[in-house]
């Protein structure tokens, strides 16, 4: 038996912290860390709901595995983009993103 | 309070606290290291909820691969080792981000606790055998599609790494 409130509070807090990281950071890699925290919150929500309901298809856990895989693909491509930007501009400052040099 | 509650609260508190440090520390490398702690504690949360296989995948893929990738990217973009204020945002932006983040956290927690009830429920997560049956039975086509997606991501990352771009000015003559 588990109380269903603590997992939900952890999901909310992790998502809020990730959002803060995305909004308050200027280094592109630190922004990605915020995105990872938000995806982790989504995965925890899937697993929690799957565990607390009668989930005979195991959809919650399988969706979390899918989210983890998609996050791995996303971060590989995003870091490729960040490294390409670093090679062309010499910094990865989000405040200067989109400006022509 | 059952044992599950206590264990989940401990793991969740570690996860949230280290996530907070990961988004607020001024050391760029420490940020990635705190992300490791946060995701490893989240793996403990998955274990408490009875999702052993997801916990293992989380540990292997996230802590083992993704964070190492982030650390490599930090090194390749010449992140300073000590405290760095070079990329700090303004105080106004940080305060606004704090308000938005806190409001989102409060809203999400309130809605989720309201939706899924403030009640005690039995954990229905164990059984890797059933998970394997479902994954390679009902869910096999999405699973295969996902492997194709990973291949596409791999090729895209490789193509990005070989784009013919140099430091501005250095290759300008060569490109024309």
């Amino acid at each position: 038996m588990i109380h269903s409130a603590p997992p939900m509070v952890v999901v909310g807090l992790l998502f809020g912290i990730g959002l803060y990281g995305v909004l308050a950071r200027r280094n592109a890699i630190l922004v990605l860390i915020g995105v990872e925290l938000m995806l982790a919150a989504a995965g925890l929500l899937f697993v929690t709901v799957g565990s607390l309901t009668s989930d005979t298809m195991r959809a919650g856990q399988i969706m979390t595995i899918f989210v983890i895989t998609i996050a791995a693909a996303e971060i590989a491509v995003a870091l490729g983009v960040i490294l390409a930007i670093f090679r062309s501009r010499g910094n990865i400052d989000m405040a200067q993103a989109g400006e022509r040099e | 309070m059952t044992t599950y509650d206590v264990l989940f609260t401990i793991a969740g508190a570690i996860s949230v606290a280290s996530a907070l440090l990961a988004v607020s520390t001024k050391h760029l490398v420490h940020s990635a290291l705190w992300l490791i702690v946060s995701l490893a504690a989240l793996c403990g949360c998955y274990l408490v909820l009875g999702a052993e296989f997801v916990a293992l995948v989380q540990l292997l893929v996230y802590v083992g691969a993704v964070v190492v990738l982030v650390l490599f990217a930090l090194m390749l973009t010449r992140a300073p080792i000590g405290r760095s204020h070079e990329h700090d945002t303004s105080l106004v932006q940080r305060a606004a981000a704090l308000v938005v983040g806190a409001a989102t956290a409060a809203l999400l927690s309130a809605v989720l606790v309201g939706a899924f009830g403030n009640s005690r429920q039995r954990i229905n997560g164990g059984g890797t055998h059933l998970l394997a049956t479902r994954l390679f039975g009902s869910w096999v086509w999405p699973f295969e599609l996902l492997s194709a997606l990973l291949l596409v991501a791999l090729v895209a990352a490789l193509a990005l790494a070989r784009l013919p771009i140099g430091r501005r000015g250095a290759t300008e003559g060569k490109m024309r």
Side-chain angles (χ1 to χ4, degrees):
Chain A
M1 300 285 273
I2 193 170
H3 206 270
S4 61
M8 299 304 170
V9 174
V10 171
V11 167
L13 286 176
L14 276 181
F15 194 91
I17 292 168
L19 191 63
Y20 171 78
V22 170
L23 293 176
R25 298 286 212 171
R26 267 171 58 198
N27 186 313
I29 295 175
L30 298 183
V31 172
L32 267 186
I33 287 178
V35 173
E36 292 303 313
L37 284 173
M38 290 201 277
L39 284 171
L44 181 61
L45 183 60
F46 274 127
V47 167
T48 308
V49 176
S51 291
L52 296 184
T53 56
S54 58
D55 180 12
T56 50
M57 288 290 280
R58 286 286 174 274
Q61 296 187 21
I62 286 167
M63 280 304 157
T64 308
I65 294 170
F66 286 2
V67 166
I68 291 173
T69 317
I70 291 171
E74 167 249 311
I75 203 139
V77 175
L79 291 177
V81 171
I82 289 174
L83 286 181
I85 291 172
F86 182 76
R87 274 193 295 148
S88 73
R89 313 171 64 112
N91 65 32
I92 47 171
D93 193 342
M94 295 294 275
Q96 295 169 23
E99 287 175 13
R100 286 189 67 88
E101 292 193 15
Chain B
M1 291 285 273
T2 57
T3 321
Y4 284 121
D5 284 330
V6 176
L7 288 176
F8 189 92
T9 310
I10 293 171
I14 295 173
S15 182
V16 168
S18 44
L20 210 53
L21 281 166
V23 297
S24 61
T25 177
K26 296 281 178 238
H27 291 66
L28 267 63
V29 180
H30 287 192
S31 186
L33 295 177
W34 281 119
L35 184 69
I36 292 183
V37 179
S38 180
L39 295 174
L42 200 66
C43 161
C45 292
Y46 289 153
L47 277 181
V48 176
L49 289 169
E52 298 104 0
F53 185 67
V54 179
L56 286 177
V57 169
Q58 168 93 2
L59 204 62
L60 202 72
V61 174
Y62 253 117
V63 181
V66 166
V67 181
V68 172
L69 215 59
V70 170
L71 278 171
F72 260 107
L74 278 174
M75 284 188 257
L76 286 173
T77 52
R78 301 204 194 92
I81 293 296
R83 290 173 72 85
S84 122
H85 296 279
E86 186 189 350
H87 283 166
D88 275 5
T89 43
S90 65
L91 204 61
V92 179
Q93 188 180 346
R94 259 179 289 170
L98 188 65
V99 170
V100 172
T104 308
L107 182 70
L108 212 54
S109 310
V111 166
L112 287 175
V113 170
F116 290 99
N118 207 348
S119 61
R120 300 193 165 280
Q121 268 156 19
R122 213 164 56 79
I123 289 179
N124 170 37
T128 310
H129 192 266
L130 179 60
L131 180 68
T133 313
R134 291 294 180 226
L135 186 57
F136 295 109
S138 321
W139 295 96
V140 68
W141 286 115
F143 191 73
E144 294 298 327
L145 194 67
L146 212 57
S147 65
L149 175 80
L150 273 180
L151 184 66
V152 170
L154 185 73
V155 173
L158 201 66
L160 277 169
R162 303 194 63 92
L163 274 183
I165 44 173
R167 190 67 74 85
R168 184 176 55 90
T171 53
E172 207 136 275
K174 224 186 293 173
M175 297 284 278
R176 303 279 151 94

